[in-house]
Amino acid sequence: MAAGYAELLGTRHAARLLVGTLIGRLPNATAPIAIVLFTRAEGGSYSLAGALAAAYGLANAVGQPLLGRAVDLFGQPRVQLPAAVVSALGMVWLALVGTGSVVAAYAAVVVAGLFTPPLEGGLRALWPGVLGGREEKVHAAYAMDAVAQEVMFTVGPLLVTLFVAVWSPAGALLALNAIGVLGALSVVVSEPSRSWRSAPREAHWLGALRSRGLLALLGAFFFVGTALGSITVAGVAYADDHGNQAVYGWLMAALGLGALIGGVFYGARQWAGAPERRLRMLVALLALCYLPLMLTPGPVAMTALAALSGVFLAPALACAFIVVDRHAPAGTVTEAFSWLVTFFGVGAAIGTAVAGPAVELGGTAASFAVASVAGGAALLVLMATQRVLATAGRGRAVAGSSEGVSDGAREVPSGAPSAG
């Protein structure tokens, strides 16, 4: 298992691109908690803090597919680095003006969210070319990518609290965004990023969204995001019930650990058969593992159930990356991956919004039931659209195969002129 990932990271450019992307995405991963801590330090209310974080999230959801489309059209360096700089300047603006002017604060977080560079989609577009178009390696890279995300979203909040303790909330904003720009810079000056070109695309205002198979996948992962978002609120309610806020940290850490374990095992072997069929099975198992959370047993047992609920999350995401690659129309691969990020994020926001009233109306178990219902809805979408997914994916090989090479693998040779 470890040897397989070590071999991937030993491939030229692979480690640099993965680490650079994770560092470049650090401001995005930490923005909600950093904004809340900064707003509270400035004397703002919890309502204002939550509203600013929500405004950032909404702007990010709008910006990702738009910037993803721009990357497909103009190349990575021309879009990723300028976007990272503008996004960082938005957070610098927030740190300088504070929350005294609510309008200025909202403008700052909207700019920061809207221009967050689509590094996540960009990396997945690069994997086939970096790994020589080898299907099994690309699949393993997608799994490694999903695992690395879990690490980042676990470590990110810890870094925020560390920077706040060492400097201040404003200093944390400045430091995290400066680091993020350096991460984006590391990616875009690399040879794979400079030489990558999207496949020729058909002019269409819908872009990647004209693919029915992609729409089906996005609909399913909207509900997966809803499930995950609801668990973050339900976990707080569970901790309150047990009079110990530390329990919440244990639950979230256990969920992340489960996802890490699942992603490592998933990426360690090769999988036969159509990924669309495999994705239905993974989402079914994911939904099934959400059901025991409604039992809300004692903290030790609940922590174990939280870990179980995360086991199939990273594998489902990794498999979804393959399906996105198979169904994205030619020339839209970065945009398509960015849409997945957007739908997942919007679903998570809806989940947090729904879980709150669920706690008030039916208690903690009802808030965990939101995750179960959402997981079931994701499975229903995949089952209802399995013919669409099978038909659309049949004509395209998985990224990197020798026939019907996917969009992400169509890379201009390294001697081609740079997009920058």
Side-chain angles (χ1 to χ4, degrees):
M1 235 178 313
Y5 286 128
E7 182 184 357
L8 281 177
L9 292 174
T11 303
R12 189 182 179 209
H13 302 300
R16 172 182 178 172
L17 290 172
L18 179 64
V19 173
T21 297
L22 292 175
I23 293 175
R25 294 185 60 228
L26 191 61
N28 180 234
T30 58
I33 186 172
I35 290 171
V36 169
L37 291 176
F38 175 78
T39 304
R40 291 295 296 152
E42 290 285 302
S45 66
Y46 281 109
S47 296
L48 177 60
L52 288 174
Y56 174 90
L58 180 60
N60 181 255
V62 172
Q64 285 296 289
L66 295 177
L67 291 172
R69 181 177 295 194
V71 166
D72 287 326
L73 289 171
F74 305 112
Q76 293 196 1
R78 291 179 176 176
V79 178
Q80 303 276 39
L81 185 58
V85 171
V86 173
S87 178
L89 289 175
M91 283 302 193
V92 170
W93 183 11
L94 177 65
L96 293 177
V97 303
T99 57
S101 170
V102 175
V103 173
Y106 273 110
V109 297
V110 166
V111 168
L114 190 64
F115 286 94
T116 298
L119 293 168
E120 189 175 348
L123 175 63
R124 289 165 200 153
L126 294 177
W127 279 133
V130 170
L131 299 174
R134 293 180 59 183
E135 180 178 332
E136 70 281 0
K137 284 196 171 186
V138 173
H139 290 188
Y142 285 154
M144 182 176 65
D145 189 347
V147 168
Q149 285 189 70
E150 296 299 328
V151 173
M152 182 187 66
F153 280 98
T154 301
V155 172
L158 297 178
L159 284 178
V160 175
T161 55
L162 174 63
F163 288 170
V164 168
V166 172
W167 295 307
S168 66
L173 280 176
L174 297 175
L176 289 167
N177 281 273
I179 292 171
V181 171
L182 292 177
L185 178 63
S186 175
V187 171
V188 301
V189 299
S190 68
E191 180 185 331
S193 180
R194 288 184 292 108
S195 62
W196 179 84
R197 298 292 185 276
S198 178
R201 61 186 285 151
E202 174 190 346
H204 197 292
W205 70 276
L206 279 175
L209 295 183
R210 67 182 183 273
S211 166
R212 295 174 64 200
L214 181 62
L215 288 174
L217 180 72
L218 295 178
F221 272 78
F222 168 85
F223 288 112
V224 173
T226 302
L228 201 61
S230 68
I231 289 175
T232 62
V233 174
V236 173
Y238 179 86
D240 287 342
D241 291 345
H242 289 78
N244 186 356
Q245 285 301 313
V247 172
Y248 176 73
W250 283 109
L251 292 182
M252 294 301 102
L255 192 152
L257 177 62
L260 283 172
I261 293 171
V264 167
F265 274 93
Y266 178 81
R269 58 162 294 180
Q270 297 181 29
W271 299 89
E276 292 85 0
R277 188 181 305 114
R278 185 164 66 253
L279 181 62
R280 285 196 297 275
M281 179 61 67
L282 289 169
V283 171
L285 291 170
L286 184 65
L288 184 64
C289 290
Y290 286 146
L291 290 172
L293 294 174
M294 291 187 292
L295 299 174
T296 61
V300 174
M302 193 65 177
T303 300
L305 292 179
L308 178 65
S309 73
V311 166
F312 295 100
L313 177 61
L317 286 170
C319 191
F321 300 157
I322 299 169
V323 176
V324 167
D325 190 64
R326 282 162 59 90
H327 291 268
T332 68
V333 64
T334 311
E335 179 189 343
F337 279 121
S338 298
W339 275 119
L340 182 65
V341 174
T342 288
F343 271 70
F344 191 90
V346 171
I350 297 296
T352 58
V354 172
V359 173
E360 296 175 357
L361 294 173
T364 301
S367 62
F368 280 114
V370 175
S372 299
V373 172
L379 178 60
L380 286 175
V381 170
L382 290 176
M383 294 184 67
T385 59
Q386 58 183 306
R387 184 170 298 180
V388 170
L389 284 165
T391 302
R394 192 176 298 149
R396 296 187 61 185
V398 180
S401 60
S402 59
E403 296 179 5
V405 178
S406 77
D407 211 28
R410 293 192 184 105
E411 183 185 25
V412 175
S414 59
S418 164

